[in-house]
Amino acid sequence: MAPEFRRLINENGDVSTKRLAEVMGTTLTGMLLVAYVDNKLHWHEHQTLIEFVRAIGDHVSAQQVLQYLDSSAHLLEDIPQSQWAGLFEVGRRLPSEAKVTVLAMCTKLAFADGHLSPEESNLIHQIAEWINIDPYGRKLWKEGVRGALEAAQLRGFEYTGIENLENEDT
Protein backbone atom coordinates (compact mmCIF):
# COMPACT_ATOMS: atom_id res chain seq x y z
CA MET A 1 0.00 0.00 0.00
CA ALA A 2 1.24 3.47 -0.81
CA PRO A 3 2.80 5.24 2.19
CA GLU A 4 0.34 8.12 1.81
CA PHE A 5 -2.51 5.76 2.71
CA ARG A 6 -0.93 3.75 5.54
CA ARG A 7 -2.50 6.05 8.12
CA LEU A 8 -5.90 4.62 7.11
CA ILE A 9 -4.92 1.37 8.82
CA ASN A 10 -6.20 1.16 12.39
CA GLU A 11 -4.27 -0.14 15.40
CA ASN A 12 -5.42 -3.71 14.63
CA GLY A 13 -3.99 -3.54 11.13
CA ASP A 14 -7.46 -3.37 9.57
CA VAL A 15 -8.30 -1.12 6.65
CA SER A 16 -11.78 0.15 5.97
CA THR A 17 -12.10 -0.61 2.27
CA LYS A 18 -14.94 1.88 2.03
CA ARG A 19 -12.85 4.65 3.61
CA LEU A 20 -9.83 3.72 1.50
CA ALA A 21 -11.96 3.89 -1.66
CA GLU A 22 -13.34 7.28 -0.60
CA VAL A 23 -9.87 8.70 0.02
CA MET A 24 -8.41 7.27 -3.17
CA GLY A 25 -11.39 8.38 -5.26
CA THR A 26 -11.27 11.90 -3.86
CA THR A 27 -7.50 12.03 -4.34
CA LEU A 28 -7.61 10.79 -7.92
CA THR A 29 -10.41 13.21 -8.79
CA GLY A 30 -8.38 16.11 -7.43
CA MET A 31 -5.21 14.96 -9.16
CA LEU A 32 -6.99 14.64 -12.52
CA LEU A 33 -8.48 18.11 -12.23
CA VAL A 34 -5.10 19.59 -11.33
CA ALA A 35 -3.45 17.72 -14.20
CA TYR A 36 -5.96 19.13 -16.69
CA VAL A 37 -6.26 22.66 -15.29
CA ASP A 38 -4.34 23.93 -18.34
CA ASN A 39 -6.22 21.56 -20.71
CA LYS A 40 -3.07 19.51 -21.31
CA LEU A 41 -1.69 16.41 -19.66
CA HIS A 42 2.07 16.86 -19.45
CA TRP A 43 4.44 13.90 -19.38
CA HIS A 44 5.49 14.37 -15.73
CA GLU A 45 1.87 14.69 -14.63
CA HIS A 46 1.01 11.58 -16.61
CA GLN A 47 3.80 9.65 -14.89
CA THR A 48 2.69 10.86 -11.46
CA LEU A 49 -0.88 9.72 -12.13
CA ILE A 50 0.33 6.32 -13.30
CA GLU A 51 2.55 6.01 -10.21
CA PHE A 52 -0.42 6.86 -7.98
CA VAL A 53 -2.84 4.42 -9.60
CA ARG A 54 -0.25 1.64 -9.62
CA ALA A 55 0.54 2.31 -5.93
CA ILE A 56 -3.07 1.88 -4.89
CA GLY A 57 -3.58 -1.24 -6.94
CA ASP A 58 -0.48 -3.35 -7.42
CA HIS A 59 -2.44 -5.77 -9.56
CA VAL A 60 -3.33 -3.10 -12.13
CA SER A 61 -1.47 -3.22 -15.45
CA ALA A 62 -0.02 -0.15 -17.13
CA GLN A 63 -2.51 -0.62 -19.97
CA GLN A 64 -5.44 -0.62 -17.53
CA VAL A 65 -4.09 2.53 -15.87
CA LEU A 66 -3.79 4.30 -19.21
CA GLN A 67 -7.32 3.28 -20.21
CA TYR A 68 -8.69 4.48 -16.87
CA LEU A 69 -6.89 7.83 -17.07
CA ASP A 70 -8.03 8.37 -20.65
CA SER A 71 -11.68 7.58 -19.89
CA SER A 72 -11.63 9.66 -16.69
CA ALA A 73 -10.16 12.64 -18.50
CA HIS A 74 -12.90 12.48 -21.12
CA LEU A 75 -15.55 12.32 -18.40
CA LEU A 76 -14.12 15.40 -16.69
CA GLU A 77 -14.23 17.31 -19.97
CA ASP A 78 -18.02 16.95 -19.88
CA ILE A 79 -18.40 18.44 -16.40
CA PRO A 80 -18.50 22.25 -16.32
CA GLN A 81 -16.02 23.77 -13.88
CA SER A 82 -18.93 25.35 -12.01
CA GLN A 83 -19.98 21.81 -10.99
CA TRP A 84 -16.58 20.50 -9.88
CA ALA A 85 -17.36 21.12 -6.21
CA GLY A 86 -19.97 18.35 -6.41
CA LEU A 87 -17.22 15.87 -7.31
CA PHE A 88 -15.90 16.27 -3.75
CA GLU A 89 -19.04 15.49 -1.78
CA VAL A 90 -17.48 12.31 -0.37
CA GLY A 91 -14.27 14.24 0.40
CA ARG A 92 -16.14 16.52 2.80
CA ARG A 93 -16.80 13.55 5.09
CA LEU A 94 -13.19 12.37 5.25
CA PRO A 95 -11.19 12.73 8.45
CA SER A 96 -8.76 15.64 8.56
CA GLU A 97 -5.63 13.51 8.02
CA ALA A 98 -7.17 12.01 4.87
CA LYS A 99 -7.93 15.51 3.58
CA VAL A 100 -4.28 16.42 4.13
CA THR A 101 -3.32 13.39 2.01
CA VAL A 102 -5.71 14.46 -0.75
CA LEU A 103 -4.18 17.94 -0.91
CA ALA A 104 -0.61 16.61 -0.63
CA MET A 105 -1.12 14.30 -3.60
CA CYS A 106 -2.72 17.07 -5.66
CA THR A 107 0.24 19.30 -4.84
CA LYS A 108 2.70 16.51 -5.69
CA LEU A 109 1.08 16.24 -9.10
CA ALA A 110 1.16 20.02 -9.59
CA PHE A 111 4.90 20.08 -8.86
CA ALA A 112 5.58 17.04 -11.11
CA ASP A 113 6.92 19.31 -13.85
CA GLY A 114 8.99 21.30 -11.35
CA HIS A 115 6.65 24.30 -11.24
CA LEU A 116 3.46 25.12 -9.35
CA SER A 117 1.49 27.49 -11.56
CA PRO A 118 -0.93 30.03 -10.11
CA GLU A 119 -3.79 28.12 -11.82
CA GLU A 120 -2.74 24.85 -10.20
CA SER A 121 -2.36 26.51 -6.82
CA ASN A 122 -5.75 28.23 -7.09
CA LEU A 123 -7.43 24.93 -7.98
CA ILE A 124 -5.74 23.09 -5.09
CA HIS A 125 -6.88 25.81 -2.69
CA GLN A 126 -10.37 25.50 -4.17
CA ILE A 127 -10.26 21.73 -3.59
CA ALA A 128 -9.28 22.49 0.03
CA GLU A 129 -12.47 24.55 0.29
CA TRP A 130 -14.57 21.89 -1.42
CA ILE A 131 -13.44 19.20 1.03
CA ASN A 132 -13.81 21.58 4.00
CA ILE A 133 -10.33 21.11 5.40
CA ASP A 134 -9.88 22.83 8.73
CA PRO A 135 -7.13 25.41 9.42
CA TYR A 136 -4.96 22.86 11.25
CA GLY A 137 -5.23 20.43 8.33
CA ARG A 138 -4.27 23.24 5.94
CA LYS A 139 -1.23 23.99 8.09
CA LEU A 140 -0.17 20.32 8.13
CA TRP A 141 -0.60 20.09 4.35
CA LYS A 142 1.56 23.15 3.65
CA GLU A 143 4.23 22.10 6.16
CA GLY A 144 4.36 18.65 4.57
CA VAL A 145 4.72 20.12 1.08
CA ARG A 146 7.45 22.53 2.18
CA GLY A 147 9.33 19.69 3.89
CA ALA A 148 9.10 17.44 0.83
CA LEU A 149 10.26 20.25 -1.47
CA GLU A 150 13.20 21.11 0.80
CA ALA A 151 14.26 17.46 0.93
CA ALA A 152 14.00 17.15 -2.86
CA GLN A 153 15.98 20.35 -3.37
CA LEU A 154 18.74 19.00 -1.13
CA ARG A 155 18.95 16.04 -3.55
CA GLY A 156 19.40 18.46 -6.45
CA PHE A 157 15.85 18.92 -7.69
CA GLU A 158 14.73 22.44 -8.50
CA TYR A 159 11.22 23.79 -8.09
CA THR A 160 9.64 27.10 -8.97
CA GLY A 161 6.31 28.59 -8.05
CA ILE A 162 6.61 27.63 -4.39
CA GLU A 163 5.34 31.09 -3.51
CA ASN A 164 2.08 30.18 -5.27
CA LEU A 165 1.38 27.70 -2.49
CA GLU A 166 0.59 30.65 -0.24
CA ASN A 167 -1.86 32.15 -2.71
CA GLU A 168 -5.33 31.66 -1.28
CA ASP A 169 -7.26 33.93 -3.66
CA THR A 170 -9.85 31.30 -4.52
Side-chain angles (χ1 to χ4, degrees):
M1 177 178 293
E4 295 85 359
F5 298 102
R6 286 203 182 107
R7 67 181 129 223
L8 295 174
I9 301 172
N10 69 19
E11 61 278 353
N12 298 325
D14 297 326
V15 177
S16 164
T17 54
K18 181 179 185 240
R19 177 56 47 97
L20 188 59
E22 291 171 346
V23 174
M24 290 187 292
T26 301
T27 302
L28 188 56
T29 299
M31 290 175 76
L32 283 167
L33 291 177
V34 171
Y36 285 99
V37 73
D38 61 359
N39 297 314
K40 292 183 256 180
L41 180 60
H42 301 280
W43 185 84
H44 293 301
E45 294 167 337
H46 184 262
Q47 292 305 114
T48 302
L49 284 165
I50 288 175
E51 173 188 316
F52 173 75
V53 174
R54 301 264 336 246
I56 61 176
D58 295 332
H59 58 281
V60 179
S61 72
Q63 183 62 32
Q64 289 169 314
V65 171
L66 293 173
Q67 288 172 341
Y68 176 80
L69 293 176
D70 186 51
S71 64
S72 297
H74 290 298
L75 288 173
L76 290 175
E77 288 173 354
D78 295 335
I79 301 171
Q81 192 169 355
S82 62
Q83 295 179 11
W84 286 0
L87 298 172
F88 294 90
E89 185 176 326
V90 169
R92 290 192 229 6
R93 296 188 304 263
L94 296 175
S96 185
E97 59 273 1
K99 293 176 182 183
V100 170
T101 297
V102 169
L103 294 176
M105 294 303 294
C106 289
T107 308
K108 178 180 180 177
L109 183 118
F111 272 110
D113 63 356
H115 177 74
L116 176 67
S117 73
E119 295 81 14
E120 290 167 330
S121 177
N122 288 339
L123 179 54
I124 295 167
H125 283 284
Q126 188 62 61
I127 291 168
E129 292 298 317
W130 291 334
I131 63 175
N132 295 327
I133 192 165
D134 60 43
Y136 182 70
R138 238 180 234 270
K139 179 181 178 217
L140 288 177
W141 157 55
K142 289 184 179 184
E143 286 175 355
V145 168
R146 282 190 210 96
L149 291 173
E150 288 172 12
Q153 288 174 325
L154 289 174
R155 293 190 315 270
F157 293 94
E158 293 185 27
Y159 295 96
T160 59
I162 297 170
E163 67 280 0
N164 293 327
L165 183 63
E166 300 308 322
N167 182 8
E168 295 192 37
D169 296 334
T170 57

